[in-house]
């Protein structure tokens, strides 16, 4: 009888120990990495792969420290050509009609046959400074002013 009692106590103690060891092991931090890695990028969003393989979009984070010097923007090169009165004068007919209005040079060749006021009016402007003629007829009128802009080829070099 005493032996049976001792065996029961022994088994109960052994069971309790196994239980403690099992529970304790499951509560210990696992060596397997479960949290995803994120890279920090200052300027753009970075897509990083998370632990389960799906893509996770991370927001860019402002890091502290000296800001990077910005790359100098190249100065725009002035590409607008300029023409003298002599150069404009060489385009004085229907095959090539250049004119000057308010110090801007226009090539009106394609407009000669489209002008609602007739080809003659445009031909009278070819090869000369026609500022006064244009302003007398159309100065401040929206549609003629807009059309004129579309024919700009350069500036008048005095
Ligand atoms: C000395 C130069 C010019 C003269 C004498 C002249 C004359 C005229 C005349 C008389 C009209 C009226 C036509 C009508 O209603 O039946 C007219 C209309 C018009 N012209 Fe000129 N024009 C000249 C230059 C130009 C230029 C350089 C442009 C533009 C590139 C231009 C654009 C127009 C336009 C868009 C209309 C129609 C306006 C509208 O109905 O709203 N003209 N022009």
């Amino acid at each position: 009888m005493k032996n049976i009692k001792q065996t029961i106590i022994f088994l109960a103690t052994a069971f309790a120990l196994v239980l403690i060891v099992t529970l304790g092991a499951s509560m210990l931090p696992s060596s397997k990495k479960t949290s995803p890695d994120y890279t920090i990028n200052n300027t753009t969003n970075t897509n990083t792969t998370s632990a389960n393989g799906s893509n996770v979009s991370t927001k860019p984070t402002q890091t502290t420290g000296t800001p990077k010097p910005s790359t100098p923007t190249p100065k725009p090169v002035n590409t607008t050509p300029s023409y003298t009165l002599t150069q404009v004068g060489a385009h004085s007919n229907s095959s090539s009609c250049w004119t000057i209005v308010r110090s801007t040079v226009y090539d009106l060749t394609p407009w000669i046959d489209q002008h609602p006021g007739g080809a003659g009016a445009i031909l009278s402007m070819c090869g000369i400074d026609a500022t006064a003629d244009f302003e007398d007829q159309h100065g401040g009128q929206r549609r003629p002013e807009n059309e004129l802009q579309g024919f700009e080829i350069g500036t008048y070099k005095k």
Side-chain angles (χ1 to χ4, degrees), residues 123-146:
L123 285 170
S124 72
M125 300 173 73
C126 304
I128 61 163
D129 185 332
T131 304
D133 302 322
F134 179 77
E135 290 208 321
D136 283 351
Q137 186 66 42
H138 290 308
Q141 286 179 4
R142 201 153 42 133
R143 214 185 128 205
E145 294 282 0
N146 282 347

Side-chain angles (χ1 to χ4, degrees), residues 72-133:
T73 324
K75 277 186 183 170
V77 184
N78 186 7
T79 51
T80 315
S82 56
Y83 302 102
T84 61
L85 186 59
T86 311
Q87 285 174 301
V88 173
H91 302 265
S92 58
N93 54 53
S94 60
S95 60
S96 185
C97 174
W98 289 13
T99 194
I100 301 163
V101 177
R102 297 181 295 249
S103 295
T104 301
V105 178
Y106 301 92
D107 180 355
L108 292 180
T109 316
W111 184 245
I112 296 169
D113 294 329
Q114 292 176 32
H115 181 228
I122 303 304
L123 285 170
S124 72
M125 300 173 73
C126 304
I128 61 163
D129 185 332
T131 304
D133 302 322

